[in-house]
Amino acid sequence: MTDTDADTVEADGITARYHETAEERVLEFEGDGRTACVAQNREGYAMLKVRPSADGDELERYYGFDMALDHAAELLGVDPNALPIPDAAADMGM
C-alpha cells in the first residue's frame, strides 16, 4: 500500500494529515494523545467511514463530511470547528 504525497496542517494542537492509498482517501487527526480517522473510497462517491485510527475498525458511516467531522471531533474530545482540514480533503463526502 503506497501513499501519495501527504497534505498536513496543524491548528490548536490538532494535526490533520490527508493522504491517499490504493483504495481510499484518508484524513487522520491526532491531538492530545487521541486519534480519529475519516476515510472514503478513492473514487470519492461512497459514504465516509469514521474510525478511531486509519487502520482501526469502522465505527460509523456518514453521507456528509460535516457529520463525519462531528464524530471525529467527539473521538478527539474537541469542538468540530477546531479541526484543521487540509485543502486536498475539503471535497470529501457526498
Side-chain angles (χ1 to χ4, degrees):
M1 189 183 298
T2 303
D3 292 349
T4 60
D5 292 339
D7 187 4
T8 303
V9 294
E10 188 174 345
D12 299 322
I14 299 170
T15 301
R17 179 176 179 260
Y18 172 84
H19 64 281
E20 296 181 2
T21 69
E23 294 87 27
E24 292 184 315
R25 300 174 69 198
V26 180
L27 177 57
E28 296 177 85
F29 296 100
E30 182 178 354
D32 199 26
R34 296 179 178 186
T35 61
C37 174
V38 175
Q40 184 176 37
N41 73 359
R42 178 99 182 207
E43 292 78 23
Y45 63 81
M47 293 176 75
L48 297 162
K49 298 171 256 185
V50 175
R51 303 177 186 141
S53 63
D55 58 355
D57 292 333
E58 179 181 316
L59 299 172
E60 191 69 57
R61 288 186 183 211
Y62 298 97
Y63 286 108
F65 193 37
D66 289 346
M67 293 189 70
L69 291 176
D70 284 350
H71 192 161
E74 182 180 316
L75 292 172
L76 295 170
V78 300
D79 184 278
N81 295 318
L83 297 177
I85 307 299
D87 289 341
D91 66 344
M92 291 180 80
M94 296 182 77

